[in-house]
Amino acid sequence: MHELVVLRAAGTALLLDVGGPALPRVVHWGADPGDLTTGQARTLALAAAPALPNSGLDAPWAPSLVPSEADGWSGRPGVAGWRPSGGPPPRLRLVQPVEVSTADDTQVLRAAAADEEAGVAVEVELRLEPCGVVRVRHHVTPTSSDGWVVAGALPLLPIGGQATEVLDLTGRWCRERSPQRSPLLHGGRVRESRRGRTGHDATLLMVAGTAGFGFRHGEVWGVHAAWSGDHVHLVDRLPEARAMLGGGELLRPGEVVLGDGETYSTPWSVFSWSDAGLDGLSARLHEHVRHRAHHTRSPRPVVLNTWEAVYFEHDLDRLRELADVAADVGVERFVLDDGWFLGRRDDTAGLGDWYVDPDVWPDGLHPLVEHVRGLGLQVGLWVEPEMANPDSDLVRDHPGWLLCGPGREPLLWRGQLVVDVAHPDAHRYLLERLDALVGEYRLDYLKWDHNRDLHEAVHDGRAGVHAQTRAVYRLVDELRARHPGLEIESCSSGGARVDLGVLEHTDRVWASDTNDAVERQRIQRWTGLLLPPELVGSHVGPARAHTTGRVVELPFRLLTALFGHPGIEWDITTCTPDELDRVRAWAALYRQLRPLLHTGTTVRGDLDAPADGGPGPAVDAGAVLHGVVSEDRRNAAFAYARLESAPDAVPPPVRLPGLDAAQDYRVRWRPEVSSTPPVQQAPPPWMREDDGVVLPGRVLASHGLAVPVLGPGQGVLLTVTAT
């Protein structure tokens, strides 16, 4: 007899058979079927049970929350490992009734199972949040005194049979989060990362969906592993079973060995479903992120970071002048980047020696900090605690603090070695030095960098990425406990540590080391698949990007940086008066739009894809449209950006998504951050109207508005207000 539990929230439902003896089996995950009587729920479970194929199991198979061979699953198991003294693979059976409860509007299911012969117990913790996001993690504990070796523990959920395509992301330094699609074929679509950090090529989300799904259409299922170390995301599809979607920590052989009474808990795997395309998926995920207890809720200040302004050339008078100009144009936080600590004249020395260099700063950082605070600005500092240069006192004095095998010469990456943060003495040193710096200078902010992959990471004689990641989380938490107001950015040679694991401990991420606004448009577009704009650092760099050499006009650089947590990374003491006026107007506009940008719903148009996922050419090749719509749908801001030249001489009208169909709106273009068409061309007539135009939301969504003829690296900002 089926004993069914239905969890539902925000149009999403999970239907689970909890009757045992195995762990709960997932009958359905997706659209909420509505209120069902007990009989109707059982009928739905019966109707969902598959037929029996030839040469297959003798009973219908439904995936449990921890699928395994013992249940008939031949894909990647939910939990794998072994008892050192020997035993069979785990055949998990419930040891107590499944518990379902509600806490803070979140529905929580806990299921405890064990296999005494295999020597292991597993508790599954599943949470369906009010926004429809499902979070799952497993707790693995030995049941015998000889312990248990964890080979893997991976939350998995089944997806609908209508899913035929897979979207994931890849990338490299300065080109993070590039989308790639593939058919959902038999076998596994697996993305594994053994980089010791999330990685520039990390998928961020693994998404399966109906054919041609896009931002505004299609049914999609997605998963994100909230973890900053080695990880895996996958879609596993077998000919005789439902496809399974999963993600979690990737463990090396022997990395986690549990002793008697010890427990391994997986990171949270974050699942989301939507029948409104990728924007619907993002809306749920953004709501989840924004409802975390520690999510930043103070207005995100305009930042000036000194890196691309001065690099390693630290000079007090020059930095004071930079701060003066920054304050004048509306900057609210001044961050001193790399180059301030002992022996740090270039990137080959000093890393690890976290003392202010007296040769450059004879009075410490106090003269600069006092000047910046006198201008009314917050103060931040760049650090990279997890790394060290061979030319450093840390490495010379404490070679045993490095994350590598004993007696082995570690590989260099950017001239850097990795500090074993899980080493008690190294951990203690880093905490003491960071605590001293934050305390002495009353720092508001740390830009916490991490500039290399972890290769041959060994801690206490075994694979060390798991211990390193946990130790870094603990170090950040201990520092913040001592300084509760401190904010920390997760930077990792740009966007190589962007995940919800590190964001449990930090306040924003640096999306990429490139400030090339053309590259940034796509990087930020796909970073926004998971993260709301207020968590994504986005800066205005100089006209010529130092990472790509591309020259981009100022209005487009300002427009691109607006849709994130904006800042400036540019020597603005060299700006012309006109450039400073533009930056000042941009900062004022950002402060005006900040409440909308950082609380509203992110929307994106599918201009660079065929209409509605069908065959044929793109709607507007080489252009992107994105925006933010307020929760009450009375206000919005949209950016139309051209990244490549268009095949058509005149672009088609741009339709504005996410508005209230029944509401009238006034649409204005904002010249402060918009490109000016060449003199021989004219903008659309409506843009010449002082007060813009007023149209119903349904018309703006179905017919749209004409946009100017623009070249690559140009764009316009439209603001929309209900009349």
Side-chain angles (χ1 to χ4, degrees):
M1 178 67 70
H2 297 295
E3 183 180 343
L4 299 173
V5 167
V6 181
L7 307 179
R8 55 164 51 91
T12 294
L14 269 166
L15 180 61
L16 302 116
D17 182 349
V18 300
L23 281 159
R25 293 169 294 281
V26 182
V27 176
H28 168 77
W29 169 43
D32 188 345
D35 292 334
L36 301 173
T37 66
T38 301
Q40 288 171 329
R42 288 175 177 167
T43 301
L44 175 58
L46 178 65
L52 296 179
N54 289 324
S55 187
L57 294 170
D58 289 345
W61 180 83
S64 81
L65 290 176
V66 186
S68 69
E69 289 183 64
D71 304 316
W73 170 244
S74 298
R76 186 176 298 222
V79 169
W82 62 88
R83 184 176 179 173
S85 60
R91 177 178 288 183
L92 298 167
R93 296 295 179 260
L94 292 174
V95 295
Q96 61 189 47
V98 173
E99 175 189 330
V100 179
S101 61
T102 301
D104 297 326
D105 295 325
T106 295
Q107 298 163 76
V108 182
L109 180 145
R110 297 180 188 274
D115 182 343
E116 291 297 328
E117 188 177 359
V120 67
V122 176
E123 180 185 344
V124 179
E125 183 180 356
L126 181 150
R127 293 174 175 261
L128 177 60
E129 299 186 354
C131 58
V133 162
V134 180
R135 294 195 297 152
V136 186
R137 64 180 176 183
H138 301 331
H139 308 281
V140 182
T141 307
T143 59
S144 62
S145 59
D146 58 344
W148 215 68
V149 180
V150 184
L154 190 69
L156 296 154
L157 287 178
I159 61 176
Q162 60 271 43
T164 60
E165 290 185 6
V166 178
L167 169 74
D168 55 58
L169 307 178
T170 183
R172 59 170 174 81
W173 180 69
C174 289
R175 201 179 188 277
E176 294 88 343
R177 284 168 290 288
S178 299
Q180 55 186 13
R181 283 181 183 257
S182 59
L184 177 50
L185 305 174
H186 287 153
R189 174 59 176 158
V190 181
R191 294 292 309 280
E192 293 186 345
S193 174
R194 291 178 171 83
R195 299 183 179 276
R197 58 177 174 171
T198 323
H200 291 104
D201 62 340
T203 185
L204 201 69
L205 275 177
M206 176 76 82
V207 180
T210 51
F213 67 84
F215 284 110
R216 304 299 298 175
H217 61 273
E219 187 174 11
V220 288
W221 294 258
V223 64
H224 168 77
W227 179 246
S228 309
D230 293 343
H231 57 89
V232 59
H233 294 80
L234 63 87
V235 182
D236 223 348
R237 184 185 178 204
L238 303 181
E240 71 276 14
R242 296 167 65 185
M244 302 289 281
L245 180 69
E249 183 178 10
L250 177 67
L251 295 174
R252 311 290 183 102
E255 187 166 14
V256 174
V257 179
L258 300 174
D260 187 20
E262 294 181 327
T263 295
Y264 165 72
S265 296
T266 69
W268 286 107
S269 294
V270 182
F271 296 86
S272 186
W273 165 87
S274 167
D275 60 358
L278 296 172
D279 276 2
L281 208 66
S282 293
R284 296 186 189 277
L285 292 164
H286 292 186
E287 185 177 348
H288 156 65
V289 170
R290 284 171 168 164
H291 278 78
R292 300 170 305 158
H294 63 280
H295 185 70
T296 181
R297 288 173 174 82
S298 61
R300 301 293 78 213
V302 180
V303 176
L304 183 133
N305 183 284
T306 65
W307 178 242
E308 291 189 29
V310 302
Y311 297 100
F312 291 107
E313 301 299 321
H314 284 202
D315 175 82
L316 177 58
D317 290 339
R318 184 179 179 188
L319 289 166
R320 280 173 168 163
E321 182 186 5
L322 186 62
D324 289 341
V325 178
D328 180 65
V329 298
V331 165
E332 298 162 299
R333 173 181 287 165
F334 185 94
V335 180
L336 183 66
D337 209 284
D338 196 358
W340 57 268
F341 49 94
L342 208 59
R344 189 66 164 180
R345 303 283 60 78
D346 56 38
D347 63 0
T348 66
L351 205 59
D353 298 341
W354 301 111
Y355 298 86
V356 177
D357 192 330
D359 292 338
V360 180
W361 298 97
D363 298 313
L365 300 178
H366 290 291
L368 177 63
V369 168
E370 290 168 5
H371 184 79
V372 170
R373 289 203 187 282
L375 296 169
L377 277 58
Q378 297 178 9
V379 179
L381 194 65
W382 180 94
V383 294
E384 192 176 0
E386 299 155 72
M387 304 297 162
N389 291 125
D391 185 5
S392 67
D393 291 342
L394 183 147
V395 172
R396 284 187 285 269
D397 297 342
H398 304 287
W401 288 6
L402 298 179
L403 189 65
C404 60
R408 297 205 171 195
E409 185 72 22
L411 291 170
L412 289 177
W413 176 308
R414 287 186 54 170
Q416 295 182 187
L417 302 168
V418 183
V419 177
D420 184 357
V421 182
H423 188 294
D425 293 335
H427 190 281
R428 192 176 303 112
Y429 161 76
L430 292 172
L431 179 59
E432 182 273 327
R433 289 312 312 144
L434 295 171
D435 177 38
L437 288 164
V438 175
E440 180 177 357
Y441 297 108
R442 297 183 294 113
L443 297 176
D444 302 288
Y445 181 81
L446 287 179
K447 178 182 177 181
W448 187 301
D449 216 336
H450 177 277
N451 276 308
R452 64 158 293 170
D453 288 356
L454 277 53
H455 289 147
E456 295 187 299
V458 177
H459 170 76
D460 279 354
R462 67 177 62 163
V465 170
H466 173 81
Q468 178 82 352
T469 307
R470 290 292 181 199
V472 170
Y473 288 169
R474 190 170 66 254
L475 176 62
V476 175
D477 289 348
E478 290 168 343
L479 180 63
R480 296 187 67 163
R482 297 184 182 191
H483 305 278
L486 179 68
E487 291 190 6
I488 296 178
E489 172 184 58
S490 170
C491 176
S492 188
S493 48
R497 189 152 65 183
V498 174
D499 60 79
L500 293 182
V502 77
L503 279 167
E504 283 296 304
H505 312 273
T506 58
D507 300 281
R508 82 169 200 171
V509 298
W510 183 229
S512 179
D513 270 349
T514 187
N515 284 322
D516 179 334
V518 173
E519 295 291 336
R520 271 282 185 152
Q521 279 284 340
R522 288 197 175 102
I523 291 169
Q524 292 171 194
R525 181 178 183 83
W526 290 99
T527 303
L529 195 60
L530 177 69
L531 299 182
E534 64 268 26
L535 296 182
V536 182
S538 179
H539 291 178
V540 179
R544 180 180 294 276
H546 87 143
T547 55
T548 65
R550 192 197 320 260
V551 176
V552 178
E553 65 178 18
L554 180 55
F556 191 74
R557 284 146 48 211
L558 296 170
L559 174 67
T560 300
L562 188 68
F563 285 84
H565 179 183
I568 301 169
E569 201 158 332
W570 175 23
D571 186 359
I572 53 176
T573 65
T574 65
C575 288
T576 66
D578 179 67
E579 287 175 327
L580 291 177
D581 285 344
R582 280 186 172 272
V583 173
R584 192 177 293 108
W586 163 79
L589 178 63
Y590 164 66
R591 288 192 295 273
Q592 174 191 334
L593 295 178
R594 180 162 50 190
L596 163 66
L597 295 172
H598 295 169
T599 63
T601 300
T602 296
V603 296
R604 288 155 292 207
D606 287 303
L607 305 184
D608 50 352
D612 299 326
V619 174
D620 188 2
V624 294
L625 175 76
H626 59 87
V628 177
V629 180
S630 65
E631 186 176 358
D632 61 8
R633 295 199 289 175
R634 292 189 58 81
N635 297 282
F638 293 92
Y640 170 78
R642 179 151 295 286
L643 310 184
E644 301 169 6
S645 59
D648 296 325
V650 178
V654 167
R655 295 183 290 180
L656 304 183
L659 302 174
D660 184 344
Q663 176 68 56
D664 288 345
Y665 294 95
R666 184 177 300 280
V667 185
R668 296 183 176 92
W669 78 286
R670 303 301 294 260
E672 305 100 307
V673 294
S674 295
S675 303
T676 302
V679 293
Q680 70 270 27
Q681 297 171 355
W686 77 265
M687 292 178 63
R688 300 174 217 163
E689 299 292 326
D690 291 340
D691 292 329
V693 292
V694 176
L695 287 168
R698 66 180 183 278
V699 174
L700 292 170
S702 61
H703 292 73
L705 292 166
V707 289
V709 178
L710 300 173
Q714 294 187 317
V716 293
L717 175 70
L718 307 178
T719 54
V720 181
T721 307
T723 59

